[in-house]
Amino acid sequence: MNADGERLQKVLARLGFGSRRVCEELIAEGRVTVNGDVAVLGRRVDVDGDDVAVDGAPVGIRPDLVHYLLNKPTGVITTADDPQGRPTVVEIVPSEPRVFPVGRLDADTEGLLLLTNDGDMTHRLTHPSFGVEKEYLASVEGTPSRAAIRQLREGVELDDGPTAKARVTAVDDSLLRITIHEGRNRQVRRMCEAVGHPVTRLVRTRIGPIVDRRLKPGEWRALSRDEVRSLEIAVGGQSDQRYDRHP
Ligand code: URA
């Protein structure tokens, strides 16, 4: 047991599980685990190394990590530093602590983008083996036929290989909702182009469990603890170095 760490009930209280007293009860009821073992009262934890879960759900305990959700407007570049001096997504959110975008949206794509200093979360969200869903609304030229939609669903041949199965529904004549779990460069645009319906406007509307219909282009907010937790669950556990589960 780590004698130098922070008291578990204090960490849980800071994360919003209730007063320290309530958190002590959670521990006493056996609902809290540390590194997979049921925690006992008096337990201390290392916020950088230990895995804490409440009722089996992993809890991110590092206080230094920030997670922002941005509704990226068009014309803003998804990079930490643009040599050509164009506006970048990191300029929209607080500069301290330094954060990085999770994956990228094209300059002309709008919608939800995560920015964080949580490198492990970034890795998990962007690595195809974790298969986190990304949902887009794509306005396209013309009206895709049923066959075109079926082709998008089943996979289209792109110059870097066929795409995986996707969920595709027609919202309107020229508006498709497309859900993919890969993250290839300009993938949605290339998929639509491949079936003869180039994209005229592309908006990302969901990243795994994260949605926000009220955030306007150019606005950002911090993710709630529940949202961070839901992302951690979506990528298979609390952010740490357990890459071994997904080689
Ligand atoms: N697919 C694209 O074509 N562009 C994006 O920005 C994201 C997904």
Side-chain angles (χ1 to χ4, degrees):
M1 186 177 301
N2 184 347
D4 301 327
E6 248 186 292
R7 282 196 183 277
L8 186 53
Q9 65 267 32
K10 188 174 161 201
V11 172
L12 292 173
R14 188 177 66 229
L15 290 168
F17 282 93
S19 65
R20 283 192 201 177
R21 182 71 199 281
V22 166
C23 294
E24 281 173 5
E25 279 166 20
L26 279 180
I27 299 167
E29 286 164 8
R31 294 168 58 189
V32 184
T33 57
V34 178
N35 303 328
D37 298 327
V38 174
V40 291
L41 267 179
R43 175 75 209 239
R44 288 176 181 269
V45 288
D46 171 4
V47 293
D48 287 324
D50 287 331
D51 291 346
V52 176
V54 175
D55 294 334
V59 165
I61 58 173
R62 287 184 52 184
D64 56 326
L65 295 180
V66 295
H67 305 82
Y68 303 134
L69 181 67
L70 168 71
N71 186 344
K72 185 186 104 52
T74 55
V76 176
I77 313 296
T78 307
T79 177
D81 183 28
D82 183 51
Q84 296 172 46
R86 292 169 296 182
T88 70
V89 291
V90 295
E91 290 164 7
I92 301 179
V93 297
S95 54
E96 286 295 328
R98 191 163 161 75
V99 292
F100 297 89
V102 178
R104 61 185 291 280
L105 291 178
D106 306 328
D108 43 356
T109 299
E110 301 154 65
L112 300 182
L113 180 74
L114 293 169
L115 296 107
T116 181
N117 56 353
D118 184 341
D120 183 57
M121 170 84 85
T122 299
H123 170 82
R124 287 159 177 262
L125 284 169
T126 49
H127 199 280
S129 67
F130 292 93
V132 175
E133 288 188 345
K134 271 90 58 179
E135 183 186 279
Y136 298 86
L137 275 177
S139 306
V140 296
E141 284 179 19
T143 301
S145 62
R146 282 192 180 176
I149 290 175
R150 196 176 322 120
Q151 212 185 329
L152 287 171
R153 282 185 188 142
E154 283 167 9
V156 294
E157 197 59 53
L158 299 180
D159 52 14
D160 52 355
T163 58
K165 283 192 191 314
R167 268 210 305 284
V168 183
T169 51
V171 180
D172 219 328
D173 281 357
S174 298
L175 184 63
L176 300 176
R177 178 174 289 116
I178 301 181
T179 307
I180 59 174
H181 53 84
E182 305 172 283
R184 284 146 68 175
N185 192 28
R186 296 182 77 82
Q187 182 168 338
V188 174
R189 291 176 194 277
R190 289 190 295 144
M191 285 168 68
C192 293
E193 175 111 42
V195 297
H197 296 277
V199 167
T200 54
R201 182 179 178 203
L202 187 60
V203 183
R204 182 152 72 187
T205 50
R206 182 168 65 83
I207 304 166
I210 306 298
V211 289
D212 190 326
R213 291 191 185 82
R214 277 184 288 193
L215 203 64
K216 299 198 174 59
E219 288 184 350
W220 65 274
R221 65 175 175 83
L223 290 184
S224 70
R225 290 195 199 291
D226 281 349
E227 287 175 318
V228 174
R229 233 169 269 148
S230 67
L231 270 180
E232 282 167 349
I233 290 167
V235 294
Q238 185 191 319
S239 287
D240 60 16
Q241 297 303 312
R242 289 173 301 183
Y243 295 159
D244 48 320
R245 278 205 240 141
H246 299 267

